[in-house]
Amino acid sequence: MSIMNEKRGANGTGGTHDLLTPTDNLTNALLTDMYQITMAYAYFRSKRHTTNAVFDLFFRKNPFDGEYTIFAGLTEVMAFLNTYKFTDQHIAFLREQIPTAGDDFFEYLSTLDCSQVKVYAFKEGSVVFPRQPLLRIEGPIGICQLLETTLLCIINYASLVATNAARMRLAVGPAKTLLEFGLRRSQGPNGGVSATRYAYVGGFDGTSNALAGMMFGMKVGGTHAHSYVQSFSVLEDLPSREIEVPGTSDDQQYVDIVA
């Protein structure tokens, strides 16, 4: 079962963002916990790094004391896997952190990609429940271990936002228009764009976030700020009190509309 609009998918239509690449350059191979890299080193030294392994990504409890979760973030996961690569700069940094690792390990890291990794997953936007494997990653244990933290980072936040959006959509019903206005209170620029994207997956119609609207082909809109209202003192400050009525050639006193 999928809650999101089948026609628009996870990212709207006509957006400028290439879905085969991550949303921003922070989503890269080094976006992981350092202990994942030291575990990969341990696998490598014990010659177990090519052993086939299966990792299941699941959760134990629905958010917001709810009865369901909306699975989101799969598109970003696939973009991350598609572009997975340790850069020369990453390798240089890691050499400083574990100087005793040896050149052969860093050569191994520099050649890693996800070409041997298989991904099994629910469709993005699906209704899911605790302890169901949202993602199953299968492949050499060395690379699969290195993916763990990043996949959790992507999926956990995306699914949290999408679930909250879906709860709002179900509360107001299908006929109401829901716009997301969270950018000014978001967890930084990256969190703002991600929250907009996954609110859309969860059932919102659009956003005030102009950048996300361009990237993902979403409807953009909004109201106005208090500062705009406060810039006028009295009605006489306005050059005109009439507005054009959409769909007609008539003008109407806007005070009459809002009264």
Side-chain angles (χ1 to χ4, degrees):
M1 177 181 179
S2 179
I3 195 168
M4 72 179 180
N5 187 316
E6 295 289 343
K7 293 181 180 178
R8 73 186 183 191
N11 305 283
T13 55
T16 61
H17 176 59
D18 178 4
L19 300 183
L20 295 178
T21 61
T23 304
D24 62 56
N25 59 13
L26 291 178
T27 308
N28 62 62
L30 200 60
L31 183 66
T32 187
D33 293 306
M34 189 63 199
Y35 62 81
Q36 302 284 15
I37 296 170
T38 55
M39 282 190 289
Y41 175 62
Y43 291 137
F44 183 81
R45 279 287 166 255
S46 60
K47 302 187 185 305
R48 295 179 56 82
H49 58 290
T50 59
T51 302
N52 195 64
V54 177
F55 284 67
D56 285 344
L57 190 157
F58 65 95
F59 62 97
R60 296 181 175 85
K61 184 179 179 181
N62 289 312
F64 314 112
D65 294 322
E67 300 297 327
Y68 63 89
T69 295
I70 304 300
F71 171 55
L74 179 60
T75 305
E76 190 74 1
V77 163
M78 299 309 294
F80 167 62
L81 300 182
N82 181 58
T83 58
Y84 190 90
K85 176 72 175 175
F86 282 102
T87 68
D88 292 343
Q89 188 177 25
H90 294 162
I91 297 297
F93 171 78
L94 293 174
R95 284 182 181 276
E96 294 176 354
Q97 308 311 307
I98 40 177
T100 60
D103 290 342
D104 54 348
F105 174 64
F106 296 112
E107 177 64 23
Y108 160 69
L109 287 184
S110 68
T111 60
L112 274 181
D113 60 28
C114 293
S115 59
Q116 298 183 61
V117 175
K118 296 179 181 179
V119 180
Y120 305 88
F122 281 96
K123 184 177 182 179
E124 188 155 14
S126 294
V127 178
V128 294
F129 303 96
R131 301 188 183 279
Q132 289 182 315
L134 308 182
L135 278 177
R136 174 165 288 173
I137 305 297
E138 182 178 344
I141 194 170
I143 179 64
C144 289
Q145 188 71 68
L146 290 168
L147 298 175
E148 181 185 34
T149 295
T150 320
L151 300 190
L152 287 168
C153 175
I154 295 171
I155 296 297
N156 283 340
Y157 181 68
S159 298
L160 182 75
V161 174
T163 302
N164 201 26
R167 288 164 60 88
M168 296 179 197
R169 167 53 68 197
L170 292 173
V172 303
K176 298 292 185 181
T177 297
L178 284 176
L179 295 180
E180 180 271 330
F181 281 45
L183 182 59
R184 61 179 57 196
R185 294 182 177 85
S186 64
Q187 285 72 45
N190 312 91
V193 170
S194 295
T196 297
R197 183 183 195 178
Y198 298 119
Y200 194 73
V201 171
F204 273 50
D205 297 290
T207 179
S208 65
N209 187 334
L211 177 59
M214 181 189 75
M215 291 176 65
F216 304 119
M218 300 175 184
K219 173 185 176 182
V220 292
T223 56
H224 54 262
H226 290 85
S227 55
Y228 178 78
V229 177
Q230 291 173 318
S231 70
F232 301 93
S233 299
V234 292
L235 286 175
E236 286 69 26
D237 288 344
L238 300 175
S240 173
R241 302 181 196 178
E242 294 184 341
I243 60 173
E244 182 178 335
V245 179
T248 73
S249 59
D250 299 330
D251 292 337
Q252 187 172 346
Q253 289 280 335
Y254 75 86
V255 176
D256 296 335
I257 296 175
V258 300

